[in-house]
């Protein structure tokens, strides 16, 4: 309940409709409600009876013949009803000389009955227009359908409503097989044919459960869906898929034959080899764990033999020592060549060396 004196009806109630949830609650004025028992029950439980009666009480207006008083600067009160009609008007001290204007009483207006507000029709699924008495809404026609994952939804036209009130309803909530058959007959299909499995396209393992990718008869590839094995009732298609799938796997294994081993490495405690595949380019080279290469031990042995014949690679310290030794040799050669350079250029020579020659 909410109360405001400035409203036309100063009290409004939040109403819960029968058969609808909290999100469909509506605020209505008390004048539009015809359920005094529910209002009294609410006021008794909430303890707001006094607030309700105070808000609904009519506004007080001055009665006819009431005494009008005027307060002077000296806080004195003077009543005009005490004067007779024949006596002159007496003004208290400190007041203005002009006569006090008395406002005429407003004429009573005719009460206007409040307009009843009708709730608008809902657009979401299962929400036809709100009414005091719940009604069952009948499906007039099925307009369209769509597939969301493993579920199919139908666009429904409600009886007595226009296209703007159409809503998507799951197949499990519909009980109108005749309208569905009529819809698919117009679309060129039948209900039984629309869900027939045409082919098994692929398989995968999800959390220890095997799932198959199904192509439906009369539907394009974008409607393919993954179904668990227990939901399929097509053993012939499954046997044919397994036979072709195993054959393709064997052919792929035959296509990839090890030509030679190029390198080896340690990754997370496991030894891996860089494999070059036969009749494949360098971009197809891949690192394979040792347990996957049990059938090509000759190539692994050949790789290890070629590694033994190669000179052992120098360590980083040896490389640095070689660079330092080479730099020292270069400096010594420069020192030997420095006299010839000094004779040739005449630089870096002292005065005594020049005259000793």
């Amino acid at each position: 309940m909410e109360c405001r004196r400035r409203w036309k009806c100063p009290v409004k109630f939040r109403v819960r409709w029968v058969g609808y949830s909290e999100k469909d609650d509506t605020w209505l004025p008390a004048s539009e409600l015809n359920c005094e028992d529910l209002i009294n029950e609410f006021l008794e439980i909430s303890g707001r009876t006094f607030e309700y009666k105070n808000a609904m009480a009519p506004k007080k207006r001055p009665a006819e013949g009431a005494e009008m008083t005027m307060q002077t600067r000296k806080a004195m009160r003077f009543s005009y009803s005490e004067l007779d009609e024949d006596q002159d008007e007496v003004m208290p001290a400190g007041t203005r000389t002009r006569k006090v204007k008395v406002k005429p009483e407003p004429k009573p207006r005719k009460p206007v009955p409040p307009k009843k507000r009708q709730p608008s029709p809902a657009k979401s699924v299962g929400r036809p227009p709100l009414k005091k008495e719940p009604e069952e809404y009948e499906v007039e026609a099925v307009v369209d359908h769509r597939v969301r994952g493993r579920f199919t939804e139908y666009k429904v036209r409600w009886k007595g409503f226009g296209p703007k009130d159409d809503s998507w309803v799951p197949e499990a909530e519909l009980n109108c097989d005749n309208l569905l058959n009529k819809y698919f007959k117009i679309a060129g299909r039948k209900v039984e044919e629309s869900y027939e499995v045409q082919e098994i396209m692929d398989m995968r393992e999800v959390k220890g459960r095997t799932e198959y990718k199904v192509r439906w008869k009369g539907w394009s590839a974008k409607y393919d869906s993954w179904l668990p094995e227990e939901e399929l009732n097509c053993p012939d298609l499954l046997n044919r898929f397994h036979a072709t799938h195993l054959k393709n796997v064997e052919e792929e294994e035959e296509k990839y034959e090890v030509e030679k081993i190029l390198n080896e490495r340690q990754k997370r405690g496991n030894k891996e080899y860089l494999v070059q595949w036969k009749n494949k380019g360098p971009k197809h080279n891949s690192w394979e764990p040792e347990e996957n290469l049990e059938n090509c031990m000759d190539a692994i042995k050949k790789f290890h033999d070629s590694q033994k014949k190669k000179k052992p690679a120098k360590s980083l310290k040896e490389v640095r020592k070689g660079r330092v030794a080479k730099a020292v040799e270069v400096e010594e050669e420069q020192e030997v060549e420095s006299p010839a350079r000094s004779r040739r250029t005449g630089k870096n020579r002292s005065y005594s060396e020049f005259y000793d020659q």
Side-chain angles (χ1 to χ4, degrees):
M1 185 180 74
E2 190 172 350
C3 301
R4 290 189 185 178
R5 296 286 292 180
R6 60 185 178 84
W7 288 341
K8 196 170 184 179
C9 180
V11 180
K12 286 185 179 181
F13 290 97
R14 185 179 174 185
V15 178
R16 176 74 49 79
W17 302 102
V18 176
Y20 296 96
S21 61
E22 183 180 353
K23 63 182 180 180
D24 300 315
D25 292 353
T26 313
W27 285 94
L28 293 178
S31 58
E32 295 186 15
L33 294 175
N34 191 14
C35 48
E36 295 181 359
D37 297 338
L38 295 176
I39 293 174
N40 294 332
E41 183 181 355
F42 167 77
L43 295 173
E44 185 178 353
I45 294 172
S46 61
R48 302 177 67 182
T49 307
F50 177 76
E51 183 182 357
Y52 171 73
K53 290 181 178 179
N54 190 23
M56 293 296 291
K59 297 180 181 179
K60 295 181 180 179
R61 293 183 180 179
E64 295 181 1
E67 296 181 352
M68 297 186 63
T69 61
M70 183 172 61
Q71 189 174 4
T72 62
R73 292 179 184 178
K74 296 181 180 179
M76 63 178 294
R77 296 180 180 274
F78 182 81
S79 177
Y80 287 93
S81 62
E82 297 176 359
L83 296 176
D84 297 333
E85 295 180 357
D86 299 335
Q87 294 178 356
D88 296 333
E89 183 179 359
V90 178
M91 300 299 295
T95 59
R96 296 182 182 179
T97 56
R98 67 182 180 85
K99 294 182 179 180
V100 179
K101 294 182 180 180
V102 181
K103 294 182 180 179
E105 294 183 3
K107 296 181 180 179
R109 296 181 181 179
K110 295 182 180 179
V112 181
K115 296 181 180 179
K116 293 185 179 180
R117 188 178 64 179
Q118 296 181 355
S120 59
K123 294 184 179 180
S124 59
V125 177
R127 286 182 56 196
L130 300 174
K131 293 185 178 180
K132 293 183 179 179
E133 297 181 0
E135 298 180 2
E136 293 184 359
Y137 295 90
E138 186 179 351
V139 178
E140 183 178 355
V142 178
V143 180
D144 196 2
H145 77 282
R146 65 185 179 186
V147 178
R148 291 292 180 90
R150 295 184 298 167
F151 303 99
T152 306
E153 295 181 351
Y154 294 92
K155 195 173 185 180
V156 173
R157 177 75 48 79
W158 302 101
K159 193 170 184 178
F161 296 94
K164 65 179 181 179
D165 299 316
D166 293 351
S167 55
W168 291 97
V169 182
E171 185 181 9
E173 297 182 10
L174 290 175
N175 191 15
C176 49
D177 295 337
N178 296 332
L179 295 176
L180 288 174
N181 289 328
K182 185 178 179 181
Y183 165 71
F184 280 105
K185 189 174 181 181
I186 295 172
R189 303 186 185 95
K190 292 182 181 179
V191 178
E192 293 80 8
E193 296 176 354
S194 62
Y195 295 103
E196 184 179 352
V197 178
Q198 181 179 353
E199 190 178 357
I200 306 295
M201 307 302 298
D202 199 0
M203 66 178 294
R204 67 182 181 185
E205 292 287 336
V206 179
K207 297 181 180 180
R209 186 177 67 172
T210 305
E211 292 184 353
Y212 295 90
K213 192 176 184 180
V214 176
R215 175 71 52 80
W216 302 102
K217 190 173 182 179
W219 301 83
S220 60
K222 70 177 181 178
Y223 294 106
D224 292 353
S225 54
W226 290 95
L227 295 179
E229 187 176 5
E230 54 269 16
E231 292 186 13
L232 293 175
N233 192 17
C234 47
D236 298 336
L237 295 176
L238 286 173
N239 294 333
R240 188 173 66 183
F241 169 75
H242 285 298
T244 55
H245 183 69
L246 293 174
K247 188 177 180 180
N248 294 334
V249 171
E250 292 176 357
E251 289 179 356
E252 289 181 1
E253 290 179 355
E254 292 177 359
K255 287 180 182 178
Y256 288 90
E257 183 180 351
V258 178
E259 184 175 356
K260 64 178 180 178
I261 305 297
L262 301 177
N263 200 354
E264 67 174 343
R265 69 180 181 184
Q266 291 286 340
K267 187 174 182 181
R268 297 177 182 176
N270 299 324
K271 186 179 287 187
E272 293 183 353
Y273 293 95
L274 182 62
V275 179
Q276 179 178 342
W277 303 101
K278 194 172 183 179
N279 299 327
K280 302 289 182 181
K283 66 179 182 179
H284 295 285
N285 297 347
S286 60
W287 289 96
E288 299 292 336
E290 187 176 11
E291 56 267 17
N292 292 354
L293 303 174
E294 295 178 353
N295 298 330
C296 51
M297 299 303 297
D298 297 337
I300 296 174
K301 187 177 180 182
K302 189 175 179 180
F303 167 73
H304 288 299
D305 294 341
S306 62
Q307 293 294 317
K308 290 178 182 178
K309 291 179 182 179
K310 291 182 180 180
K311 294 181 180 180
K314 293 182 179 181
S315 63
L316 185 61
K317 290 184 178 180
E318 293 177 354
V319 173
R320 288 179 178 174
K321 287 181 180 180
R323 288 177 181 174
V324 172
K326 191 174 181 180
V328 171
E329 292 178 2
V330 171
E331 289 180 359
E332 291 177 355
E333 290 177 0
Q334 289 178 355
E335 289 178 358
V336 173
E337 294 177 357
S338 60
R341 178 174 174 274
S342 61
R343 292 192 198 100
R344 186 171 60 252
T345 59
K347 295 180 180 179
N348 300 328
R349 296 173 64 188
S350 63
Y351 181 79
S352 59
E353 288 177 357
F354 182 79
Y355 282 100
D356 286 345
Q357 292 181 3

